[in-house]
Amino acid sequence: MCWFDIFDTLIARRCIQPEAVFFEVERRSRVDGFARVRYAAERAVDGGDYTLDHIYEQVGRIGRIDRT
């Protein structure tokens, strides 16, 4: 699922709130709860240097979503 973030900026420009991108990813991917888990994962790593890999490690932990 990491590849969705490649388009995050492009989709976000159409969204008033950046988090709305995660709901669009959830809708298109049909992964229930993705938006909630993705947002929580970003909050979990906030406060220091982090990458998308760090965020998606948290996605896997929080949402029990496999990275494949």
Side-chain angles (χ1 to χ4, degrees), residues 8-56:
D8 185 69
T9 303
L10 298 174
I11 297 171
R13 290 182 183 171
R14 293 184 168 184
C15 300
I16 295 170
Q17 298 295 325
E19 295 82 17
V21 172
F22 305 144
F23 288 101
E24 182 63 18
V25 170
E26 181 175 326
R27 183 182 72 78
R28 291 183 186 204
S29 68
R30 298 182 187 138
V31 176
D32 291 333
F34 175 82
R36 176 187 53 79
V37 170
R38 176 58 175 78
Y39 186 62
E42 192 164 333
R43 287 191 320 248
V45 298
D46 195 20
D49 290 337
Y50 61 90
T51 66
L52 288 175
D53 284 335
H54 295 121
I55 292 171
Y56 280 94

